[in-house]
Amino acid sequence: MATVIHADEAGAVLPDPPRSGDRRVRHPASLIRLLAGLGSVGLTLLLAGYAQATAGGLDADVSLGAGLLPWPPVKLTAALCAGALLLVPLSFAVDRLLRGDRRRVADGVLAAVAAYGLTLGLDLAAGGLTTLTHPLPGGIGRTDPVYGHLAPVLAFMTAVSTAGLRRWRTALGTTLTLAGLSGLVTGYASPLSLVLALLIGWTTAHGIRYAVGEPLPCPTVRQVEQTLAQCGVRPLTVTATGPCSYLVTQRDGRPVLDVHLIDRQAQASGLLRHLWVVLRVRTAPRPLGLRPLRAGLEHQTLLSYAATAAGARTRTPEAVAQLGPDAALVAYRQLTARPIVELTEDELTDEVLTDAWQQLALLQRRRIAHRALDPQNVLVDAEGAVHLVGPTEGEIAAGDLLLRLDVAGLLTVLALHAGPTRTVAAAMRVLGPGPVGAALPLLQPIALPRATRAALRPHRELTAELRAEVQRHLPQAPSEPVRLERLRPRTLLTVAAGMLAGYLLLQTLFTADRNPIGVLADADPGWLAGAALAAVASYLVATLGVIGFVPERLPFGTALTAQVAGGFVKLVSPGGVGGIALNTRFLQCAGIPTAQALSSVGASQMIGLALHLLQLAVVSSLLGLDSDGPVEELPSGWILAVGLAGLAVLIVSATAVPWLRRRVQALLRPLRAEVLPRLLDMLQQPGKLAVGFAGQAMVSATFVTCLYCCARAVGEQPGLLAVAFVFMAGNAAGNVMPTPGGAGGVEVLLTNLLVGASTMDKPAAFAAVMLFRLLTFLLPILPGWAAFAWLQRRRAL
């Protein structure tokens, strides 16, 4: 229900209606501080566990310095600090209760209890870290790992919030400093235990603030009326139409005002989503939650005034005021208009479309970027005039890219309701071909506001239709999309997987009984040369495996260079994805149509996978027949039976479940429509097809030979069948990792499998695998880059 306040003609204000309950907001800043605090606690514990000499030396130096101080004054000071440590939070609580902040005080008590409980738990968990403790002054027992007196006090006052209360912040800082120094001097605390106590108190407070939310008082209607009156507004009635909006009528026939409240809830709304967009997109606007309240207020007001000065129709602020440290309001003249989504086809005339583009042209002429042209911000009034409202995320003195983004955004919004043909025609009439053509590469969902993307989902072909319509008018317009993403989700996954892989490799390196680097340094040069020859031969047979499935004639040298270039492509792509893309592009540049190129590469990959699985099954069966040694620890001949049983279960499931059957049919349709006809064409060239089969079969053989020679080079004599099984199983599984070339996963899996398949110990197995990866993954990078650049210069890629 709306709340209304009336003022009589003499200006007297009637009694204020009952105040609504306070709101609570989970501000993402508290979550960020919580994560930062947890990370700091973890780093402190790592320092205590692994830098014991440094931490112990620091504690000893502090104890030595404290022993030089006179004891009676120190004892007296410690007693005074203990009293202040209790008095300051109690006085602060009384002060807040008298001011009506009961809910904040309750949150503070919850935070203090939680902090104290965490200190007790950490005392039990970290009691074995001697760097956090030292003997008590009396010589009986040791100090606690966490100096728990400080954590509840800091947690309480941080959760209640001392923002804007300079005296209380000074009192808190002084008390904590003196109490900490007192604990060090009297010998009841160590430096790291003090740091842990402060971190736990600060982290717990922000965790509680985010978990239960921070109380956000609702300004009363009386406060809004009085604030507006101070800005020159003469309110007659103030109606609360929502938690953050009011409708104000004025005396003397002045216009009605829409008043919008800007507070911490408005700043926190969607902040994490905005931060993710900022991380991903180069052109993302800075979230309002990252600006101070006053800076956001000034930015919003400046943009509205700048747009009005440019002659564009938008909401113009009539009054701007700050309600306190956490809230401000902006009063706009009321605009009676409807969003463009509510217009009928008859109302959405060509004149309306032209007017919309004229309003954008006025902004573009003054280089003002709106940044939020979505269906709810393009309004049309009763006279058919278009208003572009809501430029809160815009920019003045904007660059060309942001101006082009606005054109792309308005093209999409108008085309959603008027169609591409009329929208592009109106844009051409007003803006001309240049700006419209320049916006064509930005017609991509990631460049559009969130509301526009949501409206675009049911019309997935609209951007393609807009591109086609613009290119019909401007055939020379650039159509290649501009890359706006600075970071893709796949990149984050790759980084995380790489960090995990690096950690596993370091664990393998540092937990070994022998130094793998020393084992590698003593490698036999003869076997090392054999491993290098096998690695080189892998490129020759890979070339045969590609050209054998292409009916057209390909130069062997150029095809070989393309396979060498694959050694560089593996560095920037996970698994075998880069090789597939490289070979497809190579065939396209060789004059083979895209469909046939994809079919040839798909056929070679399909045959290669089938041969790899067949070889794995044969090797595992032979390994089962010859399992007199350590290979009994590995799966053997029963792998074939289990694999066939699993395949049978998958086939039965795929044919019995309707939705799964349809999914499999959709996946196999390109195989049936393109790859199989390509293989049938190849049957007319049985010699070439045999070369392709032989090449694909020999790829695994060359890598197995390389790994076997690497194991012999480090002085080990594993069985050839065991090494073959290790490579075929471990390499395939390791390449599933989303890291370039399967880095990390391949090394760990191959090392562990080699240890289980032979008498090799972990350092030797790790050295053999690292030598193998050096020859097949790291060393080919530089020649692969040179081959890639050479092919590009010859336009073969």
Side-chain angles (χ1 to χ4, degrees):
M1 178 180 295
T3 305
V4 182
I5 180 170
H6 296 275
D8 62 17
E9 295 300 325
V13 180
L14 298 179
D16 197 38
R19 182 176 176 177
S20 59
D22 289 350
R23 297 166 291 159
R24 281 187 175 264
V25 56
R26 289 186 175 89
H27 204 285
S30 298
L31 177 60
I32 295 173
R33 294 188 180 105
L34 168 64
L35 297 177
L38 291 175
S40 301
V41 171
L43 289 176
T44 305
L45 292 175
L46 284 176
L47 177 65
Y50 292 98
Q52 297 184 4
T54 302
L58 178 62
D59 189 19
D61 292 340
V62 171
S63 299
L64 181 62
L68 301 177
L69 297 176
W71 180 246
V74 168
K75 190 173 183 180
L76 178 61
T77 303
L80 292 176
C81 290
L85 198 63
L86 181 63
L87 182 62
V88 169
L90 285 177
S91 303
F92 185 63
V94 172
D95 178 75
R96 293 295 94 189
L97 287 173
L98 293 177
R99 295 177 183 272
D101 285 344
R102 294 185 298 273
R103 301 181 71 179
R104 286 186 179 272
V105 173
D107 295 343
V109 171
L110 178 61
V113 172
Y116 186 68
L118 287 175
T119 58
L120 294 179
L122 196 57
D123 283 341
L124 295 176
L129 292 176
T130 57
T131 51
L132 295 175
T133 63
H134 57 231
L136 287 168
I140 302 175
R142 299 181 68 87
T143 59
D144 294 330
V146 182
Y147 193 57
H149 302 82
L150 306 185
V153 175
L154 181 58
F156 173 80
M157 298 195 68
T158 303
V160 176
S161 180
T162 57
L165 306 175
R166 181 176 300 177
R167 292 181 179 178
W168 286 113
R169 291 173 67 91
T170 303
L172 174 65
T174 303
T175 302
L176 291 177
T177 302
L178 292 177
L181 291 175
S182 172
L184 291 175
V185 170
T186 56
Y188 286 93
S190 66
L192 289 184
S193 69
L194 284 179
V195 172
L196 275 178
L198 295 175
L199 286 175
I200 290 174
W202 187 78
T203 303
T204 305
H206 289 292
I208 294 297
R209 290 177 71 169
Y210 187 77
V212 303
E214 301 177 36
L216 189 64
C218 297
T220 64
V221 177
R222 180 186 295 274
Q223 290 175 318
V224 173
E225 190 273 339
Q226 292 175 346
T227 303
L228 290 174
Q230 294 172 359
C231 298
V233 177
R234 302 188 63 189
L236 179 62
T237 62
V238 179
T239 305
T241 57
C244 296
S245 60
Y246 303 85
L247 187 67
V248 179
T249 59
Q250 302 188 76
R251 299 187 185 90
D252 305 329
R254 293 187 179 186
V256 179
L257 301 179
D258 282 327
V259 178
H260 295 270
L261 183 68
I262 303 175
D263 56 10
R264 299 194 68 186
Q265 184 176 20
Q267 288 185 298
S269 178
L271 179 58
L272 293 179
R273 183 183 70 250
H274 289 154
L275 289 175
W276 171 240
V277 173
V278 169
L279 188 64
R280 285 191 60 195
V281 185
R282 293 190 294 114
T283 57
R286 183 183 178 188
L288 296 178
L290 295 182
R291 299 189 182 108
L293 177 67
R294 188 166 187 84
L297 179 66
E298 292 172 350
H299 180 80
Q300 180 174 337
T301 307
L302 174 62
L303 280 167
S304 297
Y305 283 136
T308 303
R313 300 189 199 98
T314 187
R315 288 195 177 107
T316 305
E318 295 285 331
V320 180
Q322 194 161 348
L323 283 170
D326 294 328
L329 57 83
V330 183
Y332 298 99
R333 182 173 298 186
Q334 187 184 33
L335 174 62
T336 304
R338 292 180 295 164
I340 196 172
V341 296
E342 299 180 5
L343 267 63
T344 64
E345 293 184 3
D346 295 336
E347 293 174 321
L348 193 55
T349 61
D350 290 341
E351 288 75 15
V352 172
L353 297 177
T354 300
D355 191 30
W357 286 112
Q358 288 173 344
Q359 298 306 306
L360 182 62
L362 292 171
L363 295 178
Q364 301 245 317
R365 190 173 299 126
R366 296 291 184 90
R367 304 196 70 82
I368 300 172
H370 190 286
R371 306 300 306 275
L373 288 173
D374 59 50
Q376 297 298 325
N377 286 335
V378 181
L379 307 182
V380 182
D381 60 21
E383 287 75 25
V386 176
H387 302 256
L388 304 181
V389 301
T392 56
E393 297 179 349
E395 292 187 20
I396 60 173
D400 291 337
L401 182 60
L402 298 185
L403 299 179
R404 292 161 60 194
L405 283 171
D406 274 355
V407 176
L410 191 58
L411 275 172
T412 308
V413 169
L414 297 181
L416 280 168
H417 307 285
T421 302
R422 294 175 58 201
T423 299
V424 173
M428 290 287 186
R429 287 194 303 269
V430 178
L431 299 181
V436 178
L440 188 59
L442 298 171
L443 280 172
Q444 43 185 311
I446 197 172
L448 303 174
R450 185 166 180 250
T452 305
R453 293 199 304 271
L456 192 61
R457 288 193 189 102
H459 310 279
R460 297 183 181 274
E461 302 299 325
L462 182 64
T463 54
E465 294 173 2
L466 270 172
R467 289 175 182 273
E469 183 63 24
V470 172
Q471 289 185 319
R472 188 175 68 83
H473 290 270
L474 301 169
Q476 74 281 6
S479 59
E480 191 70 21
V482 174
R483 181 174 177 181
L484 299 175
E485 285 183 294
R486 63 160 59 99
L487 180 67
R488 296 180 179 178
R490 187 179 66 186
T491 306
L492 288 178
L493 182 61
T494 301
V495 171
M499 293 176 64
L500 176 62
Y503 173 76
L504 294 176
L505 289 178
L506 289 176
Q507 287 290 99
T508 302
L509 183 64
F510 290 112
T511 58
D513 297 331
R514 290 192 294 159
N515 186 2
I517 298 177
V519 176
L520 190 60
D522 298 331
D524 183 85
W527 285 107
L528 190 58
L533 289 176
V536 172
S538 66
Y539 293 99
L540 297 173
V541 297
T543 305
L544 297 177
V546 172
I547 65 176
F549 291 94
V550 182
E552 295 80 5
R553 183 178 179 82
L554 293 175
F556 184 83
T558 309
L560 176 61
T561 307
Q563 303 314 304
V564 175
F568 168 69
V569 174
K570 285 192 297 186
L571 183 67
V572 293
S573 62
V577 176
I580 296 175
L582 178 77
N583 287 324
T584 303
R585 181 62 180 168
F586 169 68
L587 295 181
Q588 288 176 323
C589 293
I592 300 174
T594 302
Q596 284 82 352
L598 287 170
S599 300
S600 293
V601 175
S604 66
Q605 293 294 319
M606 182 184 69
I607 296 300
L609 177 61
L611 290 175
H612 186 88
L613 294 176
L614 180 62
Q615 290 170 331
L616 178 60
V618 172
V619 168
S620 62
S621 299
L622 295 176
L623 192 63
L625 298 176
D626 185 24
S627 58
D628 296 330
V631 293
E632 289 181 347
E633 300 176 9
L634 286 176
S636 56
W638 55 266
I639 286 183
L640 181 61
V642 173
L644 292 176
L647 182 62
V649 171
L650 289 177
I651 293 175
V652 171
S653 302
T655 54
V657 182
W659 69 267
L660 187 57
R661 182 171 64 250
R662 290 192 297 268
R663 180 64 176 168
V664 171
Q665 290 174 348
L667 292 174
L668 295 179
R669 191 174 296 115
L671 176 67
R672 184 177 64 252
E674 298 176 2
V675 176
L676 293 181
R678 190 72 165 168
L679 286 175
L680 293 177
D681 292 340
M682 288 300 304
L683 290 177
Q684 301 176 10
Q685 303 181 37
K688 201 166 190 180
L689 191 60
V691 169
F693 271 86
Q696 290 293 338
M698 292 173 63
V699 168
S700 296
T702 55
F703 283 120
V704 169
T705 303
C706 181
L707 181 57
Y708 178 77
C709 291
C710 290
R712 296 299 300 268
V714 298
E716 301 293 331
Q717 296 183 6
L720 182 60
L721 286 177
V723 172
F725 174 82
V726 166
F727 170 77
M728 292 179 184
N731 190 70
N735 274 322
V736 176
M737 287 195 67
T739 54
V746 172
E747 290 83 357
V748 172
L749 283 173
L750 290 182
T751 299
N752 292 330
L753 286 174
L754 270 179
V755 172
S758 64
T759 57
M760 298 176 66
D761 56 13
K762 200 164 190 177
F766 183 72
V769 170
M770 291 307 296
L771 180 58
F772 170 75
R773 293 289 282 172
L774 179 69
L775 295 173
T776 59
F777 178 62
L778 295 178
L779 288 182
I781 291 175
L782 186 58
W785 171 78
F788 190 86
W790 183 81
L791 290 172
Q792 282 190 320
R793 285 197 302 269
R794 292 179 60 91
R795 299 185 181 277
L797 274 184

